[in-house]
Amino acid sequence: MTAAVTFRGRVRLVLAVLILALVPTTPTLVAPTPADAADTQSARGDTGRRGAEVVAVTQVAERQVDLSVRSTALGGRTVKVRLLTPDGWNPADRRQHWPTFWLLHGCCGDYTSWTAMTDVAETDSLRNVLVVMPEAGWNGWYSDWWNYGEGGDPAWETFHTVELRHLLERDWGAGRNRVVAGLSMGGQGALLYAARHPGMFKATAAYSGSAHPLLNDESVNRILGLFAGRGNDPLRVWGDPVAQRRVWQAHDPFHLAKRLKSMPVYLSCGDGTAGPLDTPGAVSALEADFNRQNHALAAELKRVGAKHLTTHFYGAGTHTWRYWERELHASLPMLLGALGVKG
């Protein structure tokens, strides 16, 4: 049964209710607000508007907590963020902050994708980190959308790297020791966030990621087709690939390679043909395209002097979850090592 508790200023009561809500057998809903006036002020952006606030908390499974977050960057909409919590996690203890692993979903998925499609929640090596799996839109592309030069909603990058980051570190036990990984669209997001926010992440991994969308006309047309999903105007995201070339380059990991050269980077991809985890005869033109993009990014990283690049271009394999689960496990030693956590 789900219950709701709202409050204004009664911080201790809410935190006590939250801890009770974290009993695995009792999914519970609570609605916290900023802890005090100082925190309320620090949660505001440069414009003085509130950045984001948690309006509900739901225990969905053992060590799995969903936050409902209302975001200014998303036009005041409320979206979900799933946390896979470490053993001993207690958000009421403001002195305790955990190494944080951001795990990003792909296009056509959502914040539940990783727990629904992989064994991430049963992975013992993740019991000492806080895993953050945020909603990023069906095809949000981990970007603040151009919107014909007007910006505004949706601003997924601002939501994640500013609003949500601050919220998690202030109220939910997240530390400033972070890594980021993702698949497909989320692989691009992981590379972008690591490159565009120097110092925010200590390592990054992309599984079948969109690593160089400006590689050629096929790659450009394919991502424009993805931008257009669900009837969206594809030019809202980054604009026209010719007229707004600088915007596109600013969101293309290949063109940001120099910013990635000093950190551990893990790239993996199949070639789009049927592999050992596929049904016979399976093919994926998308994976084949992303494979070419990842090879191009790897070559560029080597050219600019990257010292900590790991690649696993495993040949036969399509754009499917069984490979991404395998690659998550393969990359964990690197990612957890960057966090200083034993795998």
Side-chain angles (χ1 to χ4, degrees), residues 141 182-189 191 205-213 253 266-270 286-287 289-295 297 319 324:
W141 293 93
L183 70 98
S184 193
M185 177 182 80
Q188 178 174 289
L191 295 168
Y207 321 122
S208 302
S210 174
H212 186 13
Y266 184 96
L267 302 176
S268 67
C269 203
L286 177 63
E287 187 76 0
D289 180 19
F290 285 0
N291 187 54
R292 293 187 290 271
Q293 293 185 29
N294 275 271
H295 276 275
L297 175 57
H319 204 68
W324 303 328

Side-chain angles (χ1 to χ4, degrees), residues 104-298:
L104 310 181
H105 71 77
C107 178
C108 319
D110 62 23
Y111 70 100
T112 68
S113 294
W114 276 103
T115 52
M117 302 301 294
T118 75
D119 63 356
V120 64
E122 290 77 47
T123 301
D124 286 342
S125 60
L126 294 175
R127 300 188 75 95
N128 293 317
V129 300
L130 178 64
V131 182
V132 178
M133 294 165 281
E135 179 60 53
W138 187 82
N139 59 350
W141 293 93
Y142 297 90
S143 301
D144 290 356
W145 284 22
W146 182 65
N147 283 328
Y148 291 92
E150 296 296 322
D153 181 28
W156 290 106
E157 183 175 7
T158 294
F159 170 58
H160 292 144
T161 64
V162 179
E163 292 183 346
L164 181 59
R165 175 184 60 81
H166 177 89
L167 199 63
L168 294 175
E169 291 172 6
R170 190 189 69 203
D171 295 331
W172 301 95
R176 297 182 179 181
N177 192 15
R178 318 175 195 91
V179 295
V180 61
L183 70 98
S184 193
M185 177 182 80
Q188 178 174 289
L191 295 168
L192 287 180
Y193 285 2
R196 288 170 58 87
H197 300 273
M200 182 171 175
F201 297 102
K202 292 188 173 181
T204 184
Y207 321 122
S208 302
S210 174
H212 186 13
L214 283 169
L215 175 64
N216 54 33
D217 287 346
E218 177 186 352
S219 298
V220 169
N221 290 335
R222 178 167 280 109
I223 200 168
L224 282 171
L226 293 169
F227 288 172
R230 291 187 170 178
N232 181 58
D233 176 355
L235 299 186
R236 287 184 59 205
V237 185
W238 299 337
D240 181 89
V242 176
Q244 280 73 50
R245 191 76 169 183
R246 290 186 178 180
V247 178
W248 277 69
Q249 289 177 340
H251 293 89
D252 185 326
F254 177 91
H255 290 281
L256 303 174
K258 288 183 179 179
R259 301 187 187 183
L260 294 169
K261 70 177 185 178
S262 299
M263 71 168 58
V265 175
Y266 184 96
L267 302 176
S268 67
C269 203
D271 65 11
T273 63
L277 304 181
D278 293 302
T279 57
V283 294
S284 172
L286 177 63
E287 187 76 0
D289 180 19
F290 285 0
N291 187 54
R292 293 187 290 271
Q293 293 185 29
N294 275 271
H295 276 275
L297 175 57

Side-chain angles (χ1 to χ4, degrees), residues 63-76:
R63 295 178 52 235
Q64 295 182 48
V65 177
D66 285 356
L67 307 181
S68 297
V69 182
R70 184 163 53 227
S71 163
T72 297
L74 301 178

